[in-house]
Amino acid sequence: MTASTDHDPTRSLEFPQGFLWGAATAAHQIEGSPLADGAGPSIWTRFAHTPGMTFNGDTGDIACDHYHRWKDDVKLMRELGLQAYRFSVSWSRILPDGTGRVNQKGLDFYSRLVDELLANDIEPLLTLFHWDLPAALDDRGGWLNRDSADWFAEYGRVLYRALDGRVKKWVTLNEPWVITDGGYLHGALAPGHRSKYEAPIASHNLMRAHGAAVQAYRAEGSHEIGLVVNIEPKYPASDSQDDAAAVRRAHAYMNEQYLHPALLGKYPPELKQIFGDAWPDFPEDDFKLIVQPLDFVGINYYTRSVTRANDSYPLEAGAVRQPLGTYTETGWEVFPQGLTDLLVWFKQTYGDLPVYITENGAAFFDPAVAEGGRVRDPLRIDYLRKHLTAIHDAIAAGVDVRGYMVWSLLDNLEWSLGYSKRFGIVHVNYGTQERTPKDSARWYSGIIASHGRKLSDPLPY
Ligand code: BGC
C-alpha cells in the first residue's frame, strides 16, 4: 500500500473522536537529581559515572532538572494544548534497594506530578520501566536473574496501589529490544554487557517480568495496561533470496522477539537459528506467564532498515544506507511509509488490539534560540507532519490507532549520546534550564487544536 505522505490540501486528515494527542519523556532523561530524597542509584547513574561510557562524560545528574521544575513543565504542556503526557517512574526512587523498603518521598514526587497533570486536564500515561534498573538489583544479576519477574511485579504493585484511578493508562516496559540489544548484547547502554549468551536470557526475563506485572495489575488495578515496543520494518536491499531471508531474520529478531511471546505465547522459530547454541530451551510454563491479555500495545517508531544478507546480521547492525535518503542527526532514515506498513502488519499479525504511537520524533540540528525566543526547526515539522499523515493512512486502512505521543516534549539526555542530540519540540538551555518552544511545538499545538485538520495546511516555511 502507498502512504500519501506528500502535502495534499484536498485531503481531510481529521482523526477519530477521542484520539489522544500528547508528548513523551522518560525519568532518567529529564529529571536530574537521581539520588534526591532517599532514592537509590540506578544502573544509569552508575554507567554514566564510569569513564568513557557516555559522550563527553555526560550524566543524568542535572538533565532538565524536571525533578524541581515539574510544575512549570506541566504548565508548559497545558500552554501547548497537550491532552496526554507519557512519562516513566524511576524504580529506585520508589524502592531504593529495588525491593522491600518503600521510599515515600519518591512516591510523593510522582503523586504530585499526576495530580498536577489531572488538574490541567492532561491524561497521564505511566511507564513503569524505561531502562533505569535499580543498581541494587543489577548487583543481584539484573534481568539475568529469574527473580526479576517477582521484583518487577512487587514494584508495580506499589505504584498501582498508590496511583491507579488517577493513572488510567499503564505501560510495563519500554522497548525490551533496546534494553537487551543495547544493554546485554552490544554494551552501548547500561549495564554495558556484551554477550550473545546473556541476551536471550535477559529478553526472556523481561518478558516474564512484563507478564508478572500485568498479572499483578489485574489483581490491584482496574484500568488499562500494555507493553511498549520499538518496531522497525525491514526491507530487502535487493530482490535476491538471500536478502529476503535476511529480512525475515532481522524482522524476527527485532519485531517479533517481543510481540510474539507477549501476544501469541511463543517465539518466532528464527531466533533459535539466529542465536544458535546461545538460545536456551525455555520452560513451557513461562509462556503462560508471558502471554497476558493486554489493553493496548504502544509502538515507538523512528525509522526503517534496508537489510542485506550478511552472516552476522541481525546480531550486528547491518542497515544499508540509502543514497537518496534523508537522515536525521542520529543517522536514521526518514521513512514515514514504514509506519503505515508496520501498523498494517501489526493488525494482520496480532489482530484488532488498540495501538498508541507512544514515541515518534527526530533529532535534527537546531539553530540557537533567536532573538524573540524562536527556534526554527522546519525539518522536525516536516518529519512529524509526514508521520502523522502515515498514521492517518493506517487508520484509514482499519488499524485502531488511539493516540500519538511525540518524542520528546523536551530536549533531553540521549542516553550514551549525552546531550549531543536534541529530540525536543521544546528547546532546553542546559546552562540556564530555560525552556523555549520550537516552531514544531507551536505547529503541533495547532494540529492538536484542529484535531489533525491543519495537517493539510501548507507548512509555515
Ligand atoms: C527511547 C528513548 C530515546 C529515543 C531516541 C527510544 O528508543 O525510548 O528513550 O531517547 O528512542 O533515541
Side-chain angles (χ1 to χ4, degrees):
M1 60 173 297
T2 313
S4 331
T5 43
D6 286 331
H7 171 59
D8 175 0
T10 61
R11 281 189 75 199
S12 160
L13 285 169
E14 190 149 351
F15 281 67
Q17 274 295 321
F19 189 87
L20 205 55
W21 300 89
T25 64
H28 185 75
Q29 294 180 273
I30 65 163
E31 287 176 356
S33 308
L35 302 178
D37 296 331
S42 78
I43 54 172
W44 269 97
T45 324
R46 193 182 261 178
F47 187 75
H49 281 274
T50 307
M53 292 317 215
T54 64
F55 174 82
N56 207 25
D58 288 345
T59 72
D61 290 0
I62 300 174
C64 305
D65 195 28
H66 173 78
Y67 193 72
H68 298 113
R69 293 167 196 265
W70 55 276
K71 215 172 183 161
D72 288 342
D73 287 338
V74 175
K75 191 162 164 246
L76 178 62
M77 295 176 214
R78 168 72 179 231
E79 283 163 12
L80 294 176
L82 300 190
Q83 300 167 348
Y85 175 53
R86 173 175 178 243
F87 64 97
S88 77
V89 171
S90 158
W91 186 340
S92 54
R93 286 198 199 281
I94 308 299
L95 296 157
D97 307 313
T99 56
R101 185 176 52 89
V102 174
N103 177 33
Q104 188 58 42
K105 285 190 171 166
L107 212 43
D108 291 346
F109 170 72
Y110 295 104
S111 179
R112 282 192 299 265
L113 173 65
V114 165
D115 283 345
E116 191 68 14
L117 289 166
L118 294 174
N120 283 279
D121 284 327
I122 299 169
E123 162 140 37
L125 268 76
L126 188 156
T127 302
L128 292 173
F129 184 69
H130 198 128
W131 308 358
D132 45 357
L133 188 74
L137 294 182
D138 196 47
D139 292 342
R140 292 159 71 183
W143 296 114
L144 299 172
N145 186 330
R146 276 182 72 84
D147 292 348
S148 53
D150 298 330
W151 304 337
F152 191 53
E154 176 185 337
Y155 160 58
R157 237 173 257 126
V158 174
L159 286 173
Y160 306 150
R161 285 179 189 158
L163 298 176
D164 192 54
R166 285 187 285 159
V167 173
K168 295 186 174 145
K169 290 188 172 52
W170 296 82
V171 167
T172 54
L173 307 172
N174 179 71
E175 301 188 349
W177 181 81
V178 178
I179 299 168
T180 307
D181 187 83
Y184 289 88
L185 183 67
H186 291 120
L189 302 176
H193 297 195
R194 289 162 203 256
S195 165
K196 179 174 142 183
Y197 289 86
E198 288 185 0
I201 298 170
S203 284
H204 187 71
N205 285 332
L206 278 160
M207 295 320 292
R208 291 177 54 251
H210 156 78
V214 175
Q215 227 173 34
Y217 185 72
R218 299 301 176 206
E220 302 285 341
S222 43
H223 298 87
E224 296 179 5
I225 191 157
L227 169 71
V228 166
V229 289
N230 58 304
I231 47 184
E232 204 177 277
K234 309 288 178 187
Y235 302 87
S238 76
D239 51 18
S240 77
Q241 276 191 356
D242 285 353
D243 283 354
V247 161
R248 184 62 222 123
R249 286 196 298 275
H251 178 63
Y253 173 59
M254 187 166 182
N255 302 329
E256 295 176 346
Q257 180 168 195
Y258 304 93
L259 287 174
H260 262 39
L263 300 175
L264 306 178
K266 59 180 185 194
Y267 285 113
E270 289 82 2
L271 291 179
K272 210 178 163 98
Q273 184 195 346
I274 294 166
F275 281 95
D277 67 342
W279 185 258
D281 279 327
F282 294 113
E284 260 317 300
D285 270 1
D286 285 0
F287 295 93
K288 293 190 194 130
L289 175 63
I290 293 172
V291 65
Q292 299 291 326
L294 299 183
D295 300 303
F296 63 89
V297 163
I299 290 180
N300 295 351
Y301 178 79
Y302 289 93
T303 189
R304 69 155 168 183
S305 88
V306 177
T307 300
R308 173 165 298 146
N310 160 343
D311 284 348
S312 53
Y313 192 73
L315 293 181
E316 300 303 326
V320 179
R321 206 175 158 90
Q322 299 304 292
L324 299 177
T326 308
Y327 285 82
T328 69
E329 281 273 296
T330 43
W332 298 340
E333 188 192 0
V334 178
F335 196 73
Q337 167 79 55
L339 181 49
T340 314
D341 289 353
L342 81 78
L343 285 167
V344 169
W345 162 79
F346 179 88
K347 179 186 158 78
Q348 284 165 352
T349 312
Y350 303 109
D352 280 322
L353 204 55
V355 170
Y356 289 85
I357 302 302
T358 34
E359 288 181 28
N360 173 242
F364 285 114
F365 176 78
D366 296 324
V369 180
E371 231 169 280
R374 198 166 161 198
V375 179
R376 293 170 186 264
D377 60 342
L379 294 176
R380 186 171 291 102
I381 295 179
D382 188 52
Y383 180 99
L384 298 178
R385 184 177 65 94
K386 286 180 170 149
H387 285 80
L388 281 165
T389 307
I391 292 166
H392 195 274
D393 287 338
I395 295 173
V399 187
D400 186 6
V401 187
R402 303 267 176 107
Y404 176 84
M405 308 293 129
V406 66
W407 184 270
S408 178
L409 175 69
L410 303 172
D411 287 337
N412 60 44
L413 178 76
E414 181 54 20
W415 304 106
S416 340
L417 299 177
Y419 297 97
S420 65
K421 305 290 177 230
R422 292 178 177 268
F423 277 87
I425 55 169
V426 174
H427 178 273
V428 176
N429 176 326
Y430 295 117
T432 62
Q433 291 295 343
E434 194 183 347
R435 275 73 163 139
T436 308
K438 301 177 190 176
D439 282 1
S440 55
R442 308 262 174 238
W443 172 86
Y444 186 46
S445 286
I447 298 300
I448 298 174
S450 70
H451 211 56
R453 279 189 302 276
K454 276 182 180 291
L455 272 176
S456 43
D457 282 4
L459 290 181
Y461 288 95

